[in-house]
Amino acid sequence: MASEDITKLVESLAKTKVGDGQLSFKGQSLKLNTAEDAEEVIKQIEEFDGLEALRLEGNTVGVEAAKVIAKALEKKSELKRCHWSDMFTGRLRSEIPPALISLGDALITAGAQLVELDLSDNAFGPDGVRGFEALLKSPACYTLQELKLNNCGMGIGGGKILAAALKESHRKSSAQGQTLALKMFVAGRNRLENDGATALAEAFGIIGTLEEVHMPQNGINHPGITALAQAFAINPLLKVINLNDNTFTEKGAVAMAETLKTLRQIEVINFGDCLVRSKGAVAIADAVKEGLHKLKELNLSFCEIKRDAALTVAEAIEDKAELEKLDLNGNCLGEEGCEQLQEILEGFNMATVLGSLSDDEGEEEDDEEEEEDEDEEEEEEEEEEERQQLKERGQGESESLTPKKIIDSQDSTPVPAPPVDIATFLAFPSPEKLLRLGPKCSVLIAQQTDTSDVEKVVTTLLRISSVFKDEAPVKTAVQETTDALLRKAFTSATFNSDAFLTSLLIHMGLLKSEEKIKAVPSLYGILMTLNHVVQQDYFPKSLAPVLSAFVTKPNRALDSCSFARHMLLQTLHQL
């Protein structure tokens, strides 16, 4: 280590905060790669008597540094709180699990009894959960009260691993007479989706002691919401439920409303941007009206709620003396509806609890169109449920690159899967259709796409990437098909790569256009696909700085895909 680097490290460590059993290196931007880099940190840890909390946020810890820090922690049996969020900045995903294993093993060896574990903002993905799985199952976490895993990119796989670890911890701790009594669970922005949420719901139902659950922006639809609602019903101490920016629809909202009727300690409900719609809002209003006397905050903003339903919500809070905030912004009340809402609350002497209505969408008149949209969504959801049920019974489509047969459980008579062609897949893309196209799908799509037309190339790319999944067969098919398409395009002398990137950014909602072009609903698939594309030899490296600049800019759609965004930016910076 150079002398000037040591000087900087010493200066940073001079800012270290000590007090109340806490040693903090928070936000010091320490780059701890080797054992030598970590010497001063280790010294501080070793010399701290009665260490109860260790803050490592805002630094970057490598595998070797983690090993020696772990060695120092092996003697810190009084450690209770690990504030270890954002401590792997710039690290490869492969570095994070071994670093976490070292640190976790040290806590187990020390005989620590953790109360809080915060690993938020570490983009470790599903594999990273394996890194602290053993810790969660160990006696060191039998006393755990707060588990914070916000923005870690766990995905469905990571959610399932986490759920299994929590169940195992509860089982083992109960056998030891020290039952796990988790109070706070935080896992926003993790793309848990229905399967991950359902697995965690099963764990929540077993634990039964939760007081706060924060799971915003996870791509959870009504099956996952319903599973969570059922689990919440057997966690009677719940005070805070934050499921912001998931998709309830009426089914999920009604299921959650039924659960709310059974809970007596609820203080905060955040269902903003959850598409509960009018029928769902009325169901929630009924639950609020029947009880929830400790309610302090109700957020139903940006949920496509119409005037009458919003007024029903307002009427439901009449006797909620503890209420501090009602958020109904971004719905469809219209000017008259907003005035009526305010009048109702003024009549209760509660006008001050109403949040801003500045983003109201105006009153919608076309009820028939909305009902048709809801019916279509319900049909799609029912089809997805049926497919899932078939999978669970072993009757679903096998994840293979060749067409498979669906076996009827009654008579085992082989029934051929319906045929799929390129046009059908591109019109209604799904992972199953892409796989059923077979091993030649990449060549066929490239052949049938006019790569002289930039707009067609972009549209085709977005449709392919929309079905991206972390599961190997789908991921491989998406990448191979994308490679064939873009290799053909970029190697053409007439293809305008700058126009391609401009059009792509517009369709992603990252660049404004004079024409009205609807942005893709989710950026996760295209970001993960681009993470692969930019590493290929056909991709013009001159486009990397422009792409990086736009992906770096603040953007709500990008924020909801923070793991994929982080992965792409990390790759772009390494080019």
Side-chain angles (χ1 to χ4, degrees):
M1 185 183 244
S3 60
E4 58 269 24
D5 292 333
I6 294 174
T7 301
K8 288 179 181 177
L9 179 59
V10 171
E11 288 174 354
S12 293
L13 289 170
K15 302 174 185 176
T16 301
K17 295 180 181 179
V18 178
D20 299 326
Q22 174 176 283
L23 177 61
S24 175
F25 300 95
K26 182 178 180 180
Q28 294 184 18
S29 300
L30 302 176
K31 295 180 180 179
L32 308 178
N33 298 315
T34 65
E36 185 182 1
D37 295 339
E39 283 179 357
E40 287 294 328
V41 173
I42 294 165
K43 183 181 178 183
Q44 296 260 8
I45 293 172
E46 288 178 339
E47 294 179 352
F48 196 111
D49 292 329
L51 180 63
E52 294 185 7
L54 178 62
R55 307 195 77 104
L56 292 173
E57 311 104 305
N59 299 291
T60 178
V61 182
V63 176
E64 292 305 314
K67 285 181 180 178
V68 292
I69 291 173
K71 195 69 179 173
L73 291 175
E74 287 181 357
K75 297 178 182 178
K76 300 299 175 180
S77 61
E78 296 178 23
L79 189 62
K80 292 181 175 62
R81 298 183 182 275
C82 297
H83 302 279
W84 294 349
S85 63
D86 188 24
M87 59 178 269
F88 297 111
T89 304
R91 300 289 169 186
L92 298 174
R93 272 179 64 180
S94 59
E95 294 181 82
I96 301 176
L100 288 173
I101 289 171
S102 295
L103 294 167
D105 287 348
L107 298 178
I108 296 170
T109 300
Q113 292 188 316
L114 295 185
V115 172
E116 179 180 0
L117 177 61
D118 186 355
L119 293 171
S120 299
D121 300 315
N122 291 310
F124 47 59
D127 293 340
V129 184
R130 294 286 189 198
F132 60 94
E133 179 185 16
L135 174 63
L136 284 180
K137 294 178 180 179
S138 76
C141 283
Y142 290 175
T143 51
L144 194 64
Q145 295 180 13
E146 299 179 19
L147 179 58
K148 301 174 183 178
L149 300 166
N150 203 53
N151 191 27
C152 291
M154 290 189 291
I156 294 171
K160 289 182 176 180
I161 296 168
L162 176 61
L166 288 172
K167 288 191 290 184
E168 179 70 2
S169 178
H170 187 273
R171 184 188 67 78
K172 291 169 69 176
S173 62
S174 298
Q176 296 294 321
Q178 192 181 12
T179 306
L180 174 67
L182 192 66
K183 293 181 179 180
M184 179 188 293
F185 180 83
V186 181
R189 298 182 181 180
N190 271 292
R191 292 199 62 81
L192 295 169
E193 301 183 16
N194 289 333
D195 288 351
T198 301
L200 285 166
E202 187 177 339
F204 296 163
I206 292 171
I207 292 169
T209 56
L210 288 166
E211 295 180 11
E212 294 188 29
V213 175
H214 302 262
M215 296 174 66
Q217 295 184 7
N218 269 299
I220 308 170
N221 298 324
H222 84 79
I225 296 297
T226 300
L228 287 172
Q230 292 168 348
F232 293 164
I234 41 183
N235 280 266
L237 302 177
L238 266 173
K239 296 178 181 178
V240 178
I241 303 177
N242 176 7
L243 295 174
N244 188 284
D245 201 6
N246 289 291
T247 307
F248 283 41
T249 63
E250 182 187 347
K251 287 183 179 179
V254 169
M256 194 60 71
E258 288 303 309
T259 285
L260 290 175
K261 292 177 182 179
T262 68
L263 300 175
R264 295 288 178 265
Q265 306 301 320
I266 289 290
E267 296 178 2
V268 177
I269 297 172
N270 186 345
F271 297 159
D273 207 6
C274 281
L275 204 67
V276 304
R277 291 205 173 106
S278 295
K279 292 178 181 177
V282 170
I284 292 169
D286 288 344
V288 171
K289 190 171 185 177
E290 286 185 20
L292 305 187
H293 295 293
K294 295 184 179 182
L295 188 64
K296 294 181 179 179
E297 181 178 335
L298 176 60
N299 184 348
L300 293 175
S301 60
F302 299 94
C303 281
E304 294 190 7
I305 300 170
K306 293 190 176 181
R307 180 181 62 181
D308 290 348
L311 299 181
T312 300
V313 172
E315 290 167 352
I317 67 167
E318 180 178 3
D319 62 344
K320 308 307 167 195
E322 301 294 321
L323 194 71
E324 298 171 0
K325 183 178 180 181
L326 172 64
D327 193 346
L328 288 168
N329 198 19
N331 287 300
C332 310
L333 281 67
E335 185 176 347
E336 184 180 345
C338 289
E339 291 175 357
Q340 289 177 319
L341 182 64
Q342 290 166 334
E343 287 173 4
I344 288 173
L345 294 175
E346 285 172 2
F348 301 154
N349 197 25
M350 297 178 71
T352 56
V353 306
L354 183 63
S356 170
L357 297 173
S358 60
D359 292 319
D360 186 74
E361 296 288 341
E363 189 168 10
E364 293 183 5
E365 297 178 0
D366 195 351
D367 289 340
E368 289 185 9
E369 185 176 334
E370 180 182 318
E371 287 177 6
E372 287 177 6
D373 289 342
E374 289 181 2
D375 289 343
E376 286 177 9
E377 284 181 12
E378 287 178 4
E379 285 176 11
E380 289 175 4
E381 288 168 354
E382 285 169 6
E383 288 175 6
E384 178 61 31
E385 284 182 44
E386 287 173 7
R387 283 197 295 271
Q388 186 61 33
Q389 288 169 1
L390 285 172
K391 268 187 178 181
E392 290 171 358
R393 293 199 301 265
Q395 296 176 326
E397 294 166 357
S398 176
E399 292 183 342
S400 167
L401 293 178
T402 55
K404 294 290 181 183
K405 296 177 180 179
I406 301 176
I407 309 300
D408 188 292
S409 62
Q410 300 298 318
D411 56 14
S412 298
T413 303
V415 180
V420 175
D421 56 24
I422 301 298
T424 302
F425 166 71
L426 292 176
F428 306 100
S430 73
E432 293 80 9
K433 290 193 183 93
L434 179 62
L435 295 178
R436 289 215 306 271
L437 284 171
K440 293 184 179 180
C441 66
S442 57
V443 177
L444 294 172
I445 289 179
Q447 287 176 345
Q448 294 185 30
T449 303
D450 180 5
T451 51
S452 65
D453 187 331
V454 166
E455 195 65 22
K456 285 185 179 177
V457 173
V458 170
T459 302
T460 303
L461 170 62
L462 290 170
R463 290 187 177 278
I464 295 168
S465 64
S466 70
V467 306
F468 181 93
K469 283 188 175 182
D470 286 320
E471 298 162 6
V474 179
K475 181 178 179 180
T476 301
V478 168
Q479 291 177 348
E480 289 179 350
T481 307
T482 299
D483 285 342
L485 172 68
L486 295 186
R487 189 179 297 279
K488 178 185 175 185
F490 283 124
T491 55
S492 170
T494 58
F495 188 72
N496 189 332
S497 58
D498 291 333
F500 164 81
L501 184 56
T502 300
S503 176
L504 180 61
L505 291 170
I506 290 170
H507 281 276
M508 290 173 69
L510 306 182
L511 183 63
K512 291 184 179 179
S513 170
E514 293 180 1
E515 301 176 16
K516 286 188 176 181
I517 295 177
K518 188 175 181 181
V520 292
S522 171
L523 294 181
Y524 181 76
I526 185 60
L527 289 172
M528 294 299 286
T529 303
L530 286 172
N531 185 50
H532 167 80
V533 167
V534 300
Q535 301 177 63
Q536 307 311 307
D537 56 4
Y538 59 74
F539 180 75
K541 297 301 183 277
S542 60
L543 299 182
V546 180
L547 179 59
S548 179
F550 278 92
V551 176
T552 303
K553 287 183 177 181
N555 182 282
R556 186 178 178 186
L558 286 171
D559 288 343
S560 66
C561 303
S562 54
F563 171 70
R565 179 192 207 177
H566 171 83
M567 293 294 293
L568 176 57
L569 285 174
Q570 188 176 54
T571 301
L572 287 168
H573 291 156
Q574 291 171 355
L575 292 178

